[in-house]
Amino acid sequence: MDFRHEWKHELNLSDMITIRQRLRAVAQADTHSIDGRYDIRSLYFDNLNDKALREKLDGVNAREKFRIRYYNGDTSVIQLEKKSKQGGLESKVQARLTADEAQAIVDGDLFWMPNSGRDLVVELYSKMMSQGLRPKTIVDYTREPFIYAPGNVRITLDYNIRSGLYYTDFLNTQCVTFPIMDDPIILEVKWDEFLSSIIRDAVQLEGRRTAAFSKYAACRAFG
């Protein structure tokens, strides 16, 4: 499992406009974006004791979380993801799901998972059985992604973060979600071995320091 460095900053609208203009001058827009952005819908998993949420809030150094996601309302391409954190490092592994498989997981129809032929699907099944992981809430947001080849750098601006509260009707593109408190804007910077001074300067803002932020935790603020 390869780990990458990760920074997060919480921004205001003026900050975002400033950084967006800087990034447009030095980095490239992600080719998968549409007009420079895309919409993401994720379904996060947790157990009855809210293990993933509690570990995040308690600042546990080594932790993991599972989610399923798709982009721009297109349910023909769905990814199961496990994101692992160790201090300031993060890694992510993925496996493709069909829409029928994703719906089966939401419905608790799990019998097919051990024989799926995908290690991550089998791991999720194991932890759903042993730890009681279950779909917990939908998280929607808009992302503006940039890439910078040296250091394999990826910079994203995330905003319009919305919570599904108690809803897990993940494939229903008409499912209503609600804006979270304070309407934050999140800058994320991820890189491999080194971060160029060009990008360091582009994302630097006076009075802004690296801080932990979890969209999942923010969307669980009311339950």
Side-chain angles (χ1 to χ4, degrees), residues 19-207:
I19 288 181
R20 177 194 283 147
Q21 292 303 111
R22 292 176 183 173
L23 291 173
R24 285 175 175 173
V26 300
Q28 302 295 317
D30 189 322
T31 57
H32 294 98
S33 62
I34 301 173
D35 295 328
R37 63 179 59 87
Y38 47 71
D39 294 322
I40 299 175
R41 167 161 287 186
S42 298
L43 177 64
Y44 283 84
F45 290 73
D46 215 332
N47 66 11
L48 290 175
N49 296 320
D50 289 328
K51 179 178 181 289
L53 177 62
R54 296 301 172 190
E55 288 183 346
K56 170 61 182 177
L57 296 177
D58 293 342
V60 174
N61 186 59
R63 58 186 187 271
E64 66 182 25
K65 59 188 174 186
F66 286 84
R67 66 193 178 200
I68 307 174
R69 65 171 37 175
Y70 59 89
Y71 299 83
N72 293 324
D74 180 6
T75 59
S76 68
V77 180
I78 301 174
Q79 295 281 5
L80 167 64
E81 300 180 346
K82 182 181 78 167
K83 188 172 182 181
S84 302
K85 298 276 288 186
Q86 289 189 8
L89 301 175
E90 63 92 21
S91 72
K92 183 171 67 176
V93 292
Q94 299 176 308
R96 286 285 294 272
L97 295 174
T98 67
D100 287 343
E101 289 171 341
Q103 188 63 55
I105 292 173
V106 171
D107 294 339
D109 180 4
L110 314 179
F111 74 94
W112 58 274
M113 296 176 71
N115 301 311
S116 66
R118 284 154 285 172
D119 291 344
L120 189 58
V121 174
V122 175
E123 182 180 353
L124 176 59
Y125 171 80
S126 174
K127 290 177 178 177
M128 292 181 80
M129 294 296 99
S130 63
Q131 299 180 11
L133 285 186
R134 291 294 182 271
K136 202 70 172 187
T137 193
I138 293 169
V139 176
D140 287 342
Y141 58 97
T142 299
R143 166 165 285 179
E144 294 185 23
F146 298 86
I147 55 176
Y148 186 78
N152 189 25
V153 183
R154 182 173 178 82
I155 313 103
T156 56
L157 295 164
D158 296 340
Y159 52 90
N160 191 28
I161 303 170
R162 302 171 65 87
S163 171
L165 299 178
Y166 306 105
Y167 294 106
T168 58
D169 195 6
F170 175 66
L171 296 182
N172 179 4
T173 58
Q174 303 304 312
C175 177
V176 176
T177 55
F178 303 89
I180 66 171
M181 187 179 300
D182 299 328
D183 196 20
I185 300 166
I186 307 302
L187 167 70
E188 296 185 6
V189 185
K190 300 177 183 179
W191 70 98
D192 288 343
E193 297 299 325
F194 70 94
L195 181 63
S196 166
S197 60
I198 293 173
I199 299 300
R200 287 178 184 269
D201 291 343
V203 301
Q204 189 66 40
L205 288 168
E206 185 176 353

Side-chain angles (χ1 to χ4, degrees), residues 1-16:
M1 184 180 296
D2 296 327
F3 281 84
R4 283 162 54 83
H5 300 271
E6 181 182 64
W7 280 351
K8 290 186 181 182
H9 297 272
E10 188 169 346
L11 308 178
N12 58 36
L13 180 59
S14 177
D15 294 337
M16 182 175 74

